[in-house]
Amino acid sequence: MVSDSRKASSASQTLSRGIRVLEVLADAQEPLSVDQIAERLGVHRSIAYRLIRTLEDHGLLTREPAGKFELGTRLAALAAGIKHDLQAAALPELTEVANELGMTCFVAVMDREECVTLVSVEPRHAVASVAQRPGSRHPFTVGAPGRAILSQLPEEDWPEGIREVAARGYADSHGEVIENLSAVAVPLPLRGHNPAALAVVYLSSTRAPAELAKRLKAAAKAVRDALGG
């Protein structure tokens, strides 16, 4: 008979692997075959297939006509419930900033040791814009949004370089997360939420980072006001 501890261990491993399938597909940003998913997970094809079929049954994955798999629309419904109040308050401001500046505008939040994009808006009429997909993540010690988030932590927890960010009220970066891309971010402190940041990401701009930060600060204030401070 299998012990309760072994059952729990097996269940936890299965759940962990299922989550990793979703992460692998999110990182790939393109449909993948069963073999490709198995290779990236480091498991046998039969194990990957069982995980995929379970996720597909729940609408978290979909199979394209060529037989490869991509993230399913059910994930969008689940994601819409994450910090719903913040997403609802931020969306109008993100849309206005994105279209005014011609840059992708987004809110990033702190998730343990990472900076995660919660919601983003691309400009309507820009010749070229940068996709910043919700759910994308990177260490919060890298890039402007992460440093804007770090500046809201107690001073004794600041790594090198955060004092300047806190003093001027914004962070900027170039090529730190993705080569050739620049970003400007301002803190978005919200009551009842982990530290967040409001940011733009772009290829090039004639506007100085301080000018972009000024516009972002006004948007951040509007989001805070919409949430009651």
Side-chain angles (χ1 to χ4, degrees):
M1 180 178 292
V2 179
S3 68
D4 289 343
S5 62
R6 287 182 61 190
K7 286 180 180 178
S9 176
S10 175
S12 298
Q13 183 183 56
T14 300
L15 176 59
S16 178
R17 283 174 169 173
I19 292 170
R20 282 290 297 132
V21 171
L22 299 177
E23 291 175 341
V24 162
L25 284 167
D27 291 341
Q29 298 184 10
E30 64 179 355
L32 297 177
S33 67
V34 175
D35 288 336
Q36 288 173 315
I37 293 171
E39 180 182 358
R40 298 184 191 198
L41 285 180
V43 301
H44 191 273
R45 186 183 192 280
S46 62
I47 295 175
Y49 185 71
R50 287 198 296 272
L51 294 169
I52 289 167
R53 283 301 306 272
T54 301
L55 293 169
E56 186 181 17
D57 288 345
H58 287 277
L60 302 177
L61 295 185
T62 57
R63 189 194 309 251
E64 63 163 17
K68 292 187 176 183
F69 293 88
E70 60 187 356
L71 297 178
T73 54
R74 176 64 181 154
L75 278 174
L78 294 176
I82 300 173
K83 298 185 182 295
H84 174 74
D85 56 342
L86 175 53
Q87 292 195 56
L91 195 57
E93 295 302 320
L94 298 183
T95 302
E96 187 172 332
V97 172
N99 291 326
E100 178 183 326
L101 300 180
M103 301 173 180
T104 298
C105 190
F106 63 99
V107 169
V109 297
M110 183 175 72
D111 180 22
R112 292 176 291 181
E113 301 298 315
E114 294 183 306
C115 177
V116 182
T117 298
L118 177 66
V119 58
S120 67
V121 174
E122 295 179 33
R124 274 197 306 265
H125 303 302
V127 175
S129 62
V130 179
Q132 182 73 20
R133 291 178 174 83
S136 61
R137 59 180 62 228
H138 57 78
F140 60 61
T141 52
V142 178
R147 286 200 285 276
I149 287 173
L150 285 170
S151 71
Q152 299 168 66
L153 300 181
E155 188 172 343
E156 59 267 23
D157 295 332
W158 289 350
E160 185 178 352
I162 301 304
R163 188 175 303 279
E164 180 184 356
V165 172
R168 68 184 182 180
Y170 73 91
D172 62 308
S173 62
H174 177 73
E176 293 184 19
V177 178
I178 299 176
E179 188 176 0
N180 296 325
L181 292 187
S182 297
V184 174
V186 301
L188 183 59
L190 299 166
R191 190 168 52 221
H193 291 275
N194 285 338
L198 200 154
V200 288
V201 61
Y202 53 95
L203 286 165
S204 63
S205 176
T206 58
R207 301 173 188 256
E211 182 183 353
L212 297 175
K214 182 178 180 180
R215 180 63 185 88
L216 290 174
K217 288 177 182 178
K221 182 181 184 303
V223 173
R224 288 196 303 272
D225 290 347
L227 291 170

